[in-house]
Amino acid sequence: MKVFSSSCTFDYSWSEVTTANWRKYCPWNDKSTHVTAVDTLSRSVDPTTGILRTERLITCTQTAPAWVLTLLGGSPTSHVHETSYVDPAARRVTMCSTNLTWSNILSCRETVVYEPLVSASAAPGHERTRFKQNAEITALCGGWQKIRTKIEEASVERFGQNAQRGREGFEHVLEMSRRVFGEEREGQRKQRA
């Protein structure tokens, strides 16, 4: 098993980040054009804790080499199952995802957490959000350990590249969301005046 971990800080409030998270794969994100569909499978709120639990199926187009698709009998379409938990009391979003496609050959289990970044030196009204990402990648194919290790290393490298593009795309979604919601609030303010 190989592990990929990263973290960063978004200069947006936790509320902005959690709201924009549902638009992560929208047309504003030109870095996620490989995502072709996001289907909500279930959504519920725990009446005791207030935690929103959502399950989604994310459909993507893979960029795997043609020889890999031929060898493994796959198609360019892949699926990921995501379960997210929004805890408004703790102000934490936890998202857990796992690959469904080729899961008998390679397992990728990712956990992402968004939490407010509390800083005594932050200017009033300038909230930021901490992003933590962890992925455990395990080659399940038989054979020599050396081959499995190479597959895991290549997969972690690819995952890291995709994670960087994903953060860049999400940053653009956050920027657009702030602008659009700001324009909407201004329009409503003018109507009331």
Side-chain angles (χ1 to χ4, degrees), residues 148-165:
R148 288 194 307 267
T149 299
K150 288 290 186 191
I151 291 170
E152 290 171 355
E153 288 171 349
S155 298
V156 165
E157 181 179 335
R158 177 74 177 257
F159 193 94
Q161 293 166 353
N162 290 342
Q164 177 61 34
R165 279 200 313 277

Side-chain angles (χ1 to χ4, degrees), residues 60-78 101-102 105:
C60 307
T61 301
Q62 299 182 68
T63 57
W67 69 267
V68 171
L69 296 176
T70 301
L71 179 69
L72 299 176
S75 80
T77 302
S78 64
T101 305
W102 293 348
I105 297 169

Side-chain angles (χ1 to χ4, degrees), residues 24-139:
K24 188 179 345 186
Y25 302 117
C26 75
W28 294 340
N29 187 345
D30 63 352
K31 305 288 185 183
S32 68
T33 56
H34 66 289
V35 176
T36 58
V38 178
D39 297 299
T40 300
L41 304 175
S42 69
R43 181 170 282 156
S44 62
V45 176
D46 184 299
T48 305
T49 64
I51 294 175
L52 170 67
R53 181 183 187 278
T54 304
E55 288 188 63
R56 301 192 305 176
L57 178 67
I58 301 170
T59 304
C60 307
T61 301
Q62 299 182 68
T63 57
W67 69 267
V68 171
L69 296 176
T70 301
L71 179 69
L72 299 176
S75 80
T77 302
S78 64
H79 301 283
V80 174
H81 181 263
E82 173 192 87
T83 305
S84 64
Y85 305 89
V86 180
D87 186 340
R91 297 185 70 199
R92 175 183 296 124
V93 173
T94 304
M95 300 167 61
C96 305
S97 61
T98 188
N99 62 305
L100 299 176
T101 305
W102 293 348
S103 59
N104 60 327
I105 297 169
L106 186 71
S107 169
C108 180
R109 298 187 180 277
E110 177 189 23
T111 302
V112 167
V113 177
Y114 295 103
E115 296 177 296
L117 181 63
V118 180
S119 172
S121 63
H126 183 77
E127 295 180 52
R128 300 184 320 159
T129 303
R130 170 68 74 190
F131 165 85
K132 295 177 192 170
Q133 179 180 37
N134 187 67
E136 296 175 350
I137 299 172
T138 306

